[in-house]
């Protein structure tokens, strides 16, 4: 069992320039990075997007697990991060346990914010918008049993919203029909008119919160996990020094460096450089 002193010395051994690696299939993880910036503005960050694998939500569990484990293995060797944040509900609900077993670096995942939603709802009916892969995970069943057993949780997989969020961050217009369809899908389920709280269970979806709020109409609150994740990262890095040696950057998988397509959005999140992974 590590003593208090050994915990302190571990914290002191961390290279102040060691980054926090924030990982998603695309730009959704920026919604987590935004909260991390508020909590730890001095922390060096590498943002990694598996754009060659996007979208994860329409892939099988085996495909997502293999990509996530392979990429995180490669990236932890290359960048020696002090901590990895899997800023993706799909990757986390499928592969978090597995990657924690194989990688020797603290890993913080992103899972649907069912617990806070259950505490917020007044009608007892919660909507959950995620990817198709996320909404079928046993991980989500367990969260529902543990925190919302006495509530009605209505789940909808909305891959079109992932595309819409990506487009929005490239500066393209959001198709209102896509947003409307997602809201109507939940509203038209038995009990759906009672929804007063919606869990944004995909890190891309908070990028569309304004549009979704319009589509759902007044009286619906949205909840996601980004603030909680930032708090958890702050706790796990407590006592560590931070010193940015190089500008924070965004890295993409595949053969196309997408930095210029997302340049304005990336700069908004403090990511100055970019490149291919
Ligand atoms: N941002 C990811 C999530 O939180 C999923 C997007 C995708 O389908 O790749 O689930």
């Amino acid at each position: 069992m590590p003593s208090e002193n050994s915990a302190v010395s571990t914290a002191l051994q961390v290279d102040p320039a060691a980054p926090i690696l924030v990982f998603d299939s695309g730009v959704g993880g920026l919604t987590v990075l935004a909260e991390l910036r508020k909590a730890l503005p001095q922390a060096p960050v590498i943002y990694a997007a598996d754009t060659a694998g996007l979208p994860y939500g329409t892939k099988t569990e085996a495909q997502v697990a293999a990509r996530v484990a392979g990429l995180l293995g490669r990236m932890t060797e290359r960048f020696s991060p002090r901590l990895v944040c899997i800023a993706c509900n799909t990757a986390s609900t499928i592969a978090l346990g597995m990657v924690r077993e194989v990688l020797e670096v603290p890993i913080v995942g992103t899972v649907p914010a069912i617990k806070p939603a259950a505490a917020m709802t007044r009608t007892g009916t919660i909507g959950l918008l995620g990817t198709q892969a996320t909404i079928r995970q046993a991980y989500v069943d367990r969260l529902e049993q543990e925190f919302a057993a006495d509530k009605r949780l209505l789940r909808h997989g909305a891959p079109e919203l992932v595309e819409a969020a990506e487009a929005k961050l490239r500066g393209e217009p959001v198709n209102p029909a896509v947003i409307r369809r997602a809201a109507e899908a939940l509203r038209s389920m038995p009990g759906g008119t009672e929804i007063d709280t919606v869990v944004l269970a995909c890190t891309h979806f908070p990028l569309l919160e304004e549009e979704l709020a319009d589509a759902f109409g007044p009286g619906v609150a949205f909840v996601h996990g980004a603030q909680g994740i930032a708090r958890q990262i702050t706790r796990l890095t407590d006592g560590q020094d931070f010193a940015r040696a190089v500008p924070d950057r965004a890295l993409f998988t595949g053969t196309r460096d997408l930095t210029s397509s997302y340049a304005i959005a990336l700069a908004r999140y403090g990511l100055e450089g970019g490149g291919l992974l």
Side-chain angles (χ1 to χ4, degrees):
M1 212 156 119
S3 69
E4 215 176 287
N5 282 347
S6 73
V8 171
S9 62
T10 312
L12 292 177
Q13 278 160 18
V14 172
D15 175 358
I20 292 173
L21 179 68
V22 179
F23 172 75
D24 182 34
S25 54
V27 293
L30 294 174
T31 59
V32 175
L33 178 58
E35 293 301 325
L36 180 61
R37 293 295 198 199
K38 290 184 206 159
L40 290 176
Q42 70 285 24
V45 167
I46 292 179
Y47 184 86
D50 183 13
T51 33
L54 179 84
Y56 279 2
T58 52
K59 292 191 165 47
T60 64
E61 282 70 4
Q63 286 171 322
V64 172
R67 284 202 82 87
V68 173
L71 275 168
L72 289 184
R74 258 173 56 204
M75 289 191 291
T76 51
E77 276 190 11
R78 185 163 155 200
F79 302 116
S80 307
R82 70 180 76 208
L83 181 144
V84 172
C85 171
I86 305 181
C88 174
N89 290 261
T90 313
S92 299
T93 54
I94 291 174
L96 188 57
M98 185 184 104
V99 289
R100 276 199 176 131
E101 269 173 38
V102 295
L103 297 181
E104 288 172 3
V105 58
I107 300 179
V108 175
T110 308
V111 300
I114 293 173
K115 186 182 176 184
M120 280 165 65
T121 180
R122 294 286 157 257
T123 61
T125 301
I126 302 166
L128 185 144
L129 283 175
T131 66
Q132 290 148 305
T134 295
I135 64 165
R136 66 172 181 253
Q137 293 311 309
Y139 202 123
V140 181
D141 300 340
R142 286 196 297 274
L143 290 173
E144 179 178 359
Q145 278 151 22
E146 191 171 347
F147 302 114
D150 59 341
K151 311 282 188 263
R152 177 161 45 195
L153 184 74
L154 303 175
R155 309 180 192 186
H156 175 63
E160 291 179 307
L161 293 182
V162 175
E163 276 170 51
E166 291 278 330
K168 184 174 179 183
L169 261 62
R170 287 192 300 265
E172 296 163 19
V174 173
N175 179 355
V178 164
I179 309 288
R180 226 177 18 248
R181 274 200 289 274
E184 275 165 16
L186 278 177
R187 285 289 196 207
S188 62
M189 289 179 187
T193 53
E194 295 291 303
I195 291 171
D196 67 348
T197 308
V198 174
V199 180
L200 300 177
C202 169
T203 52
H204 280 75
F205 298 173
L207 296 167
L208 301 167
E209 188 169 329
E210 239 171 75
E211 291 85 348
L212 286 165
D214 279 349
F216 275 95
V220 173
F222 295 88
V223 55
H224 59 86
Q227 275 186 0
I229 295 159
R231 275 197 302 273
Q232 171 74 347
I233 295 174
T234 306
R235 263 195 303 274
L236 289 172
T237 56
D238 186 32
Q240 297 179 6
D241 289 331
F242 296 97
R244 199 172 271 114
V246 290
D248 291 348
R249 62 211 154 116
L251 299 173
F252 300 92
T253 59
T255 50
R256 277 188 58 223
D257 181 358
L258 296 170
T259 314
S260 61
S261 315
Y262 293 100
I264 296 172
L266 296 177
R268 225 184 300 136
Y269 294 90
L271 299 167
E272 294 172 30
L276 288 177
L277 254 170

